[in-house]
């Protein structure tokens, strides 16, 4: 097997690993709305049964029986609760659909051609997929500026952001411990010159300055076996630097937090060039 193919398969395995680790949490995220959708539908079925009973009495022209049936089922209660239950059910289905959509965006094999990508959409999908990892330790804030489409492999950027957000959640988890307090993870995007910039900032434990030069090393981890293999940042760096000619850097203050910054060339020049090439080819 040639080296490029080997690397690509390794990347694929690492991606599957990190999504796999989130699977239980995502299943839980989906299960909660599914459960109340189920409860609501059972209630609605019962309510519909009650209402058809009343309707039947009215149709039979038996107004005494109809009034009795109305009183028995507490029609005021149904009139108030049924629309509520319908609204909640639709909301629950929307939530599940949102999670599934975000996961599908992650299903991209990542070997496709580069294409123009809305990085803010990538940020939103990542935060949905990482939500189960994040929400018990941190509040998430986003500050997403208007960005031009960025020429990139969307699967790669999903993966990099996921690794950064999960790292941020772990760092915040280490800082808040069992206090029950929540830290903050802030994801910001902005355009700067010909670059799109993404910051992932956390109020976590920070990085020991004596170890800072090692964090991008493959297999460097400060986490216990089972919770980290030390591949997240090495993979992120290879995806951003080697595959996108971008950069990934960080600044950190032990005890206060860390901000990772990803810079990606927007690639308009390349895109325009390609268009021009196409235009010339068509002439
Ligand atoms: N936001 C952060 N705050 C504090 N330390 C961090 C942060 N991000 C990374 N680190 C440090 O860098 C190390 C390497 O990170 P990396 O993502 O490569 O591996 P990992 O998270 O330990 O394991 P994996 O990502 O493979 O599950 C971490 O173990 C941690 O010590
Ligand atoms: Mg990691």
């Amino acid at each position: 097997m040639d080296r490029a193919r080997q690397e690509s398969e390794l990347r694929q395995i690492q991606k599957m690993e990190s999504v796999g680790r989130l699977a239980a949490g995502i299943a839980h995220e989906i299960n909660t709305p599914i459960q109340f959708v189920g409860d609501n539908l059972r209630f609605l079925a019962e309510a519909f049964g009650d209402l058809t009973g009343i309707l039947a009495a009215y149709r039979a022209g038996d107004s005494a029986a109809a009034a009795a049936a109305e009183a028995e089922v507490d029609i005021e209660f149904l009139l108030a609760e049924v629309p509520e239950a319908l609204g909640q059910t639709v909301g629950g289905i929307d939530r599940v659909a949102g999670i599934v959509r975000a996961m599908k965006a992650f299903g991209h094999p990542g070997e496709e051609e580069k294409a123009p990508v809305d990085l803010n959409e990538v940020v939103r999908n990542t935060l949905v997929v990482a939500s189960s990892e994040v929400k018990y330790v941190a509040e998430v804030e986003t500050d997403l500026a208007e960005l031009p489409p960025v020429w990139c492999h969307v699967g790669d950027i999903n993966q990099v952001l996921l690794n950064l957000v999960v790292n941020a959640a772990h760092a915040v988890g280490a800082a808040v411990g069992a206090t029950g307090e929540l830290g903050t993870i802030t994801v910001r995007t902005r355009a700067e010159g010909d670059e799109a910039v993404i910051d992932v900032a956390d109020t976590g434990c920070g990085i020991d300055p004596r170890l800072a030069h090692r964090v991008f090393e493959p297999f460097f981890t400060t986490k216990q076996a089972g919770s980290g293999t030390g591949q997240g940042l090495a993979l992120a760096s290879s995806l951003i630097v080697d595959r996108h000619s971008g950069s990934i850097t960080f600044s950190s203050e032990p005890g206060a937090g860390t901000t990772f910054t990803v810079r990606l060339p927007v690639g308009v020049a390349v895109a325009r060039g390609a268009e021009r090439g196409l235009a010339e080819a068509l002439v």
Side-chain angles (χ1 to χ4, degrees), residues 56-119:
Y58 272 113
R59 282 187 161 169
D62 184 346
S63 56
E70 274 193 39
E72 197 182 325
V73 304
D74 193 350
I75 192 124
E76 293 307 324
F77 173 79
L78 291 185
L79 289 178
E81 291 300 316
V82 166
E84 180 92 351
L86 286 170
Q88 275 190 10
T89 302
V90 172
I93 294 293
D94 285 348
R95 239 169 82 190
V96 172
I99 296 170
V100 171
R101 212 172 22 246
M103 287 192 67
K104 271 174 78 177
F106 266 79
H108 265 273
E111 294 311 316
E112 77 285 8
E113 300 276 293
K114 283 185 186 171
V117 169
D118 175 359
L119 287 187

Side-chain angles (χ1 to χ4, degrees), residues 163 167 223 232-233:
N163 289 358
N167 279 350
K223 294 170 192 173
L233 288 177

Side-chain angles (χ1 to χ4, degrees), residues 40-54 73 77-78 81-82:
N40 280 348
L41 285 177
R42 274 183 287 277
F43 164 71
L44 288 166
E46 215 174 292
F48 188 70
D50 290 344
L51 291 173
T52 45
I54 298 170
V73 304
F77 173 79
L78 291 185
E81 291 300 316
V82 166

